[in-house]
Amino acid sequence: MPNNANGLEALTRTTTDRTRCVNAENPQGGKGRAAMTASQLGPSRKGTPCLKNIPSGQDVILADLSGAGEIRHIWMTVTDATSPTGPNVLRNLILECYWDGEQTPSVSVPLGDFFCCGHAQACRVESVPVAVYPRRGFNCFWPMPFHNGARIVLRNRHNEPIEAFFYQIDYVEKDELPEDVMTFHAQWRRQRVTELGQDYVILDGVHGRGSYVGTYLALTALESRWWGEGEVKVYLDGDKDYPTWCSTGSEDYFGGAWSFAGQDPDGRMHEATYSGAYMGFPFHSRQLDNRESQYWDADTPVTRGFYRWHIPDPIIFASDIKVTLQQIGVDEQGYFERQDDLASVAYWYQQEPHQPFPQKVLETGERDRRPR
């Protein structure tokens, strides 16, 4: 892992790294070039705090960096709805990252899902690499090294313009990086209805050497009773019929147990949410925000969001990896095969080149991103 992941003791050591940042106040990240524009308060008084009026269908380059370096922190915020007819901003803004001049992205994920806020719904997240604080303050601390350049693009596939988008990308310039330093990847997938008896694929088609470091899952239950008996399975380095690594159930994989069961004061069971350093269940809802109506019922199927970071325990692969999730539930008659609506983000590091992603977010229609 990059040096900044070694702990607090790294802060005591001298370095030749050079601190830089990119935002609307310093779009090129130049030394001594931030906060130059004027406002009604005068020169250099918060003249350009954000990107304004991004049209539907437009792509915006947030950062175009040259040379070697490493992104250390990303912060972003945006409204979650533009009007009553545009409630899905967090699913319709697509974040893409390209390292070292590559033509296909290493990161391609809807903005909300990247920050563990699926279903186009913001929630509070308090983990090591991803944190979301009131109100929609999206933070990412995944180290993102690049050998000779980085380009970060925001693609507006929302049905309406985005009035204001705020962001900051904190990074360091480096003289060089060791050749074996791996780059960061994140891939989004979704099945609106999973196939009966077929494992949902979180990640596949990865070739090369690397480390699998995290999973985010946005689950919409389409059937009643308990949904989470399915195991997460990881096929490594030529595994075919059976994986090398597996969990013992879905809630087990995300760090909980026994259906996350808690009890209300009246004795009724509820699922207890939580947000921890490496595992979390921060979102549970039966009704999505910005869907209120005086004409129809705004209730939805139960939606949930989970994350699991393999930071102390990365899953190492030498040549290939595939990650899947079984769709198995349980009711009064025992286990049964389920069909639900699943969306996921896989996070990993690998040596380039990477294989192009099979499910391109930009090629999915708005319906394919739309929450239930």
Side-chain angles (χ1 to χ4, degrees):
M1 295 291 289
N3 287 337
N4 74 313
N6 289 340
L8 294 176
E9 66 178 21
L11 299 175
T12 68
R13 299 171 185 169
T14 60
T15 177
T16 59
D17 293 351
R18 298 171 294 280
T19 295
R20 300 288 185 266
C21 82
V22 166
N23 55 29
E25 290 276 26
N26 190 5
Q28 305 303 318
K31 183 179 183 303
R33 304 290 294 177
M36 295 179 66
T37 55
S39 72
Q40 70 271 24
L41 299 178
S44 190
R45 305 298 292 174
K46 201 176 177 70
T48 313
C50 66
L51 302 178
K52 297 182 178 179
N53 299 317
I54 304 172
S56 177
Q58 181 169 308
D59 301 337
V60 178
I61 297 176
L62 300 180
D64 194 358
L65 312 177
S66 60
E70 182 177 282
I71 294 169
R72 299 282 177 83
H73 170 238
I74 295 174
W75 168 86
M76 295 176 175
T77 190
V78 68
T79 183
D80 55 355
T82 50
S83 78
T85 60
N88 298 322
V89 173
L90 300 184
R91 268 277 166 85
N92 291 333
L93 293 180
I94 312 302
L95 184 66
E96 291 195 339
C97 300
Y98 300 77
W99 314 125
D100 305 327
E102 62 190 4
Q103 297 303 303
T104 62
S106 288
V107 173
S108 185
V109 183
L111 184 74
D113 293 69
F114 182 80
F115 291 99
C116 300
C117 292
H119 312 288
Q121 301 288 291
C123 64
R124 185 151 182 169
V125 178
E126 302 197 41
S127 77
V128 171
V130 174
V132 182
Y133 297 125
R135 183 179 181 187
R136 294 184 306 278
F138 300 119
N139 294 272
C140 168
F141 293 94
W142 288 114
M144 300 181 186
F146 49 93
H147 295 263
N148 53 49
R151 185 162 56 97
I152 300 180
V153 181
L154 181 75
R155 305 192 187 276
N156 181 12
R157 296 304 179 263
H158 192 52
N159 58 303
E160 298 174 338
I162 302 300
E163 182 178 349
F165 183 83
F166 297 79
Y167 73 102
Q168 176 148 334
I169 300 167
D170 297 314
Y171 67 101
V172 294
E173 296 177 339
K174 291 177 172 286
D175 294 330
E176 62 180 357
L177 281 171
E179 290 187 7
D180 62 351
V181 168
M182 300 184 293
T183 54
F184 177 78
H185 297 73
Q187 180 186 122
W188 184 78
R189 294 189 181 215
R190 186 190 188 184
Q191 279 187 286
R192 285 181 58 86
V193 181
T194 55
E195 297 182 45
L196 193 66
Q198 298 295 313
D199 293 355
Y200 171 79
V201 176
I202 296 171
L203 182 64
D204 196 9
V206 173
H207 299 283
R209 181 179 297 275
S211 298
Y212 187 76
V213 296
T215 306
Y216 172 71
L217 180 68
L219 181 146
T220 304
L222 302 182
E223 303 187 36
S224 64
R225 318 315 278 173
W226 177 240
W227 57 272
E229 292 301 324
E231 299 172 349
V232 174
K233 299 187 291 187
V234 183
Y235 298 80
L236 297 171
D237 304 329
D239 289 343
K240 299 298 182 184
D241 295 332
Y242 300 99
T244 294
W245 191 103
C246 76
S247 71
T248 58
S250 300
E251 82 270 44
D252 310 351
Y253 175 72
F254 293 108
W258 301 111
S259 308
F260 306 113
Q263 283 193 338
D264 292 324
D266 62 4
R268 295 186 63 183
M269 181 269 180
H270 72 274
E271 294 176 31
T273 57
Y274 58 96
S275 189
Y278 303 115
M279 304 172 180
F281 173 18
F283 183 78
H284 179 282
S285 180
R286 299 176 185 272
Q287 190 176 85
L288 302 183
D289 291 338
N290 304 314
R291 304 302 197 279
E292 295 78 11
S293 173
Q294 60 180 318
Y295 296 106
W296 55 74
D297 187 354
D299 288 348
T300 67
V302 180
T303 52
R304 301 170 173 90
F306 311 89
Y307 62 85
R308 167 67 154 96
W309 308 133
H310 296 275
I311 294 177
D313 57 340
I315 299 176
I316 311 301
F317 55 96
S319 61
D320 57 86
I321 186 172
K322 178 179 180 180
V323 184
T324 67
L325 171 63
Q326 296 170 327
Q327 283 288 277
I328 298 176
V330 68
D331 62 12
E332 291 80 358
Q333 299 180 48
Y335 294 148
F336 67 97
E337 301 281 0
R338 292 179 60 97
Q339 291 179 281
D340 292 307
D341 179 340
L342 297 185
S344 62
V345 183
Y347 306 77
W348 76 99
Y349 289 89
Q350 74 164 93
Q351 291 180 319
E352 297 288 358
H354 71 272
Q355 298 296 308
F357 295 175
Q359 187 179 32
K360 297 179 176 62
V361 184
L362 292 176
E363 295 177 3
T364 62
E366 190 275 337
R367 174 176 169 76
D368 295 319
R369 295 188 301 271
R370 183 188 303 179
R372 292 280 175 175

